[in-house]
Amino acid sequence: MRAIASVCLAAIGVLSAGVAVSAPVTVTWTNPTTRTDGTPLTNLAATRVEYGTCNGTAFGTASGQVTVNAPATTATIDLPGGTYCFRAFARDAAGV
């Protein structure tokens, strides 16, 4: 069994720094309670975690994604060795 690397995203919508992995990586986050306009988010349905290349301090090209249903706050992704950036997006029951 391979060790699992870990990446913690401070919040949904926040980009991780480049992370070198050589094993499955576990990405964790805190689910939001408000929308970007400040109104309450009461119907969180899922979180999409994208991973891909890093372009300096910006996300480069997405090479894949996983979606987990709320209220989960973790995803384990089996990736080949390399350096990746991660970002997460919340989605409500209406798909927004």
Side-chain angles (χ1 to χ4, degrees), residues 16-84:
S16 75
V19 177
V21 299
S22 60
V25 61
T26 297
V27 181
T28 60
W29 60 88
T30 301
N31 284 326
T33 56
T34 56
R35 298 175 182 279
T36 56
D37 66 2
T39 59
L41 175 59
T42 58
N43 60 346
L44 179 65
T47 300
R48 184 180 77 239
V49 178
E50 293 182 349
Y51 52 91
T53 60
C54 301
N55 184 8
T57 58
F59 195 89
T61 303
S63 57
Q65 66 182 26
V66 296
T67 299
V68 295
N69 292 329
T73 58
T74 184
T76 300
I77 308 165
D78 194 9
L79 296 172
T83 300
Y84 299 88

